[in-house]
Each structure stands twice: as C-alpha cells, then as structure tokens.
Amino acid sequence: MTQMTVAATQMACGWDRDENIARAEKLVHAAAERGAGVILLQELFETPYFCKDTEPDLLHLAGPATDNPAVQHFRSLSAKYEIVLPISIYERANNAQYNSLVVIDGGEILGIYRKSHIPDGPGYREKYYFNPGDTGFHVWNTRRGRVGAAICWDQWFPETARILTLKGADVVLYPTAIGSEPHDETIHSRDHWQRTMQGHSAANLIPVVASNRIGREEGSSCAITFYGSSFITDATGAKLAEASEHEEEVILASFDVEQNRRQRVAWGVFRDRRPELYGDILTLDGSQRR
C-alpha cells in the first residue's frame, strides 16, 4: 500500500510580501507537522490578486523564477520536511511574463509550469499581465508520488486534467484565486467551481486538490471577495476535505495511490478511449479537420 497525504491551504493576502510569505510558511509548517507530503498554496500568494485592474506599475512585480523570494524561501522548508511544494509566482523570462508554478521537491526545483489558459473578464484581467503558457502540461515524479498541476482558469478545461492523467499523474493540483464577480454580485460560482473539478476527478479516476484564497480585496475599479472553500477529492470526485469560505485553514486527506492506479486500469475508461475520433477538439468551432 502506498499512501499519499496531501494538504490544501487558504489565507488572505496583503501588500507586504514578507508577511504573506511568513503566513504561508506557518500553514506549510502546520500541514507538514500533520504528515502532509504534498502541500498546495494558493495562486499568486505573495501579493493581493493584482489582476483586478490593468495597472502598468504592477507589471514590474514579475521577476525571474530562480530569484523569486518565495521560491528561495520555500526551497529550504521543502528540504527540511522532505515535502513537495508547488509555489505560484509572477514570472518574468526576458520580455515575456507568465503566471507560473515552480515545483519544489526536497529543496530541489523539478521544473516550472506556465498557466496555459489566461482569462479576461471583469475583475480578472489576466491577459494584460501574462503571456499564454508555453510549457505544455507536465507530471513530475516526486518522492511523494507523481504530481500533475495546473493553475486556476486551467481547472475549467477538461483537457487539462485528462492530459495530466494520461501522463501518469497520481494527483492533480490547482492553485486558485476565485471569488465574486464584480459585474454581478448575485453570481456565486463556488458550487459550480467545485463541481467542475469534481467532474474532472470522477472522469479520470484521480484525486484533485484545489487551494483558493480568502478575504475581500479592493482594486481601483472593483473589489473581489474570495470565497475560499479549498477542497480535496478522492479518485471518484467525492470531497474528502473542505475548508470554509472565510477562515484561514489547512485541510488534509490521504489516499492509496497504488489502489487508485489499479482502479483507473480496471474501470476501463482509458482502455476504451478513441483518440482517433477526437480530432474535432483541436478546432475552435468543432468542425471536422481537413
């Protein structure tokens, strides 16, 4: 039996980067002390979610991944506890800027994933700040198991989870920043957000971990109230653990990765796939490719 214990965290963020990193460290300590081997922090936790508005000065928050303060800080913590820490950062690479995830295992950087799907809507103006990711989807062989990861808006696309599962992931991680819709505060997307990822989990027979932020953040043109509700599923999409909408929390769950691997084979979903029939998905309008 091979057990994997994962954790999701959630917290509010301000403009003091050192304070945000210290708060995140406290959560990582708490999760590691409780036995978590893979610990997920939320998207872009070094600052407030700055994409609410298009502000030229905020473009300069980006920097090279290897020089990022959070990456440097959490490498030592990852080594201390021998844990896997995916760290969400605003990355600059020459003249390109990305919403990136640096995967750290036992203090070593295994690689970087750059967010593939970049949203653009009221309060979520990410296309102003980020180039579309160019890394493709990756699964990392870590000391705790095979870890696949994507970032926030990626979680709405079933192709992301399917590809990560096809590549052999034991778990799919989604660091997130999502909350109220500034153009219509009657919209509360939390349940839809959760069910979307639960569906990915069920369809691929793989556990999913989502880590969201909390708190109300004011921008120049709007404000967003982030609704937390970080959660972890089992390999059938059922929630094993769930955080509240408003409180700083750490949640944990464990599962048997070998049992999940056997179940994925036995269920027949991957045996019965017909990739040769799926060419239309490579088009924008669903028309047959010529």
Side-chain angles (χ1 to χ4, degrees):
M1 184 172 68
T2 305
Q3 288 288 321
M4 177 186 285
T5 301
V6 299
T9 70
Q10 60 182 42
M11 67 183 200
C13 299
W15 282 108
D16 186 326
R17 175 178 279 184
D18 291 339
E19 184 177 321
N20 293 331
I21 291 175
R23 186 177 293 117
E25 178 181 355
K26 181 185 72 173
L27 299 177
V28 170
H29 274 298
E33 292 292 343
R34 290 168 60 187
V38 179
I39 302 171
L40 184 62
L41 294 162
Q42 66 212 38
E43 181 184 19
L44 299 172
F45 65 87
E46 292 180 275
T47 65
Y49 179 73
F50 52 84
C51 308
K52 294 183 288 294
D53 305 289
T54 55
E55 301 282 358
D57 288 346
L58 297 179
L59 293 167
H60 302 293
L61 291 172
T66 53
D67 297 337
N68 178 272
V71 170
Q72 294 303 319
H73 186 89
F74 284 100
R75 285 187 70 179
S76 61
L77 205 62
S78 170
K80 174 183 177 180
Y81 286 109
E82 297 187 337
I83 55 177
V84 178
L85 286 174
I87 302 299
S88 174
I89 67 167
Y90 188 12
E91 180 195 5
R92 185 179 71 247
N94 295 325
N95 295 308
Q97 306 203 142
Y98 301 99
N99 187 336
S100 298
L101 198 66
V102 180
V103 179
I104 304 171
D105 180 12
E108 298 300 317
I109 295 176
L110 298 187
I112 297 174
Y113 168 70
R114 292 169 173 164
K115 188 173 182 175
S116 300
H117 304 93
I118 310 298
D120 185 36
Y124 299 90
R125 301 295 188 187
E126 294 197 17
K127 280 186 166 64
Y128 180 77
Y129 294 97
F130 308 126
N131 293 87
D134 59 358
T135 58
F137 303 110
H138 287 290
V139 172
W140 288 276
N141 289 318
T142 77
R143 68 191 61 213
R144 303 292 185 165
R146 300 197 291 256
V147 173
I151 302 170
C152 201
W153 192 229
D154 289 330
Q155 66 207 183
W156 294 89
F157 297 84
E159 298 87 352
T160 302
R162 175 52 54 93
I163 290 171
L164 290 172
T165 310
L166 286 172
K167 287 178 172 286
D170 290 317
V171 65
V172 175
L173 311 177
Y174 294 111
T176 305
I178 189 171
S180 59
E181 301 294 333
H183 69 288
D184 186 349
E185 292 200 359
T186 67
I187 297 174
H188 188 50
S189 61
R190 183 201 62 183
D191 292 348
H192 183 190
W193 171 73
Q194 289 190 340
R195 285 193 297 267
T196 297
M197 285 176 280
Q198 288 178 265
H200 301 334
S201 171
N204 292 288
L205 291 100
I206 191 168
V208 161
V209 184
S211 175
N212 192 20
R213 67 175 60 205
I214 57 171
R216 184 171 178 83
E217 297 183 8
E218 299 285 343
S220 300
S221 65
C222 65
I224 297 177
T225 301
F226 294 93
Y227 50 60
S229 304
S230 303
F231 70 101
I232 303 169
T233 73
D234 67 9
T236 71
K239 286 185 283 188
L240 296 174
E242 181 179 4
S244 69
E245 288 195 44
H246 307 294
E247 300 299 321
E248 182 177 290
E249 291 185 55
V250 177
I251 57 173
L252 280 80
S254 299
F255 38 81
D256 184 339
V257 296
E258 288 295 344
Q259 178 178 321
N260 289 345
R261 291 170 187 171
R262 291 194 298 270
Q263 184 181 26
R264 276 193 292 277
V265 172
W267 203 252
V269 171
F270 292 92
R271 177 197 64 204
D272 297 339
R273 290 182 69 250
R274 296 289 306 281
E276 72 276 12
L277 301 181
Y278 304 155
D280 291 353
I281 204 170
L282 301 178
T283 70
L284 290 176
D285 64 358
S287 60
Q288 288 189 344
R289 303 187 76 206
R290 292 176 175 81

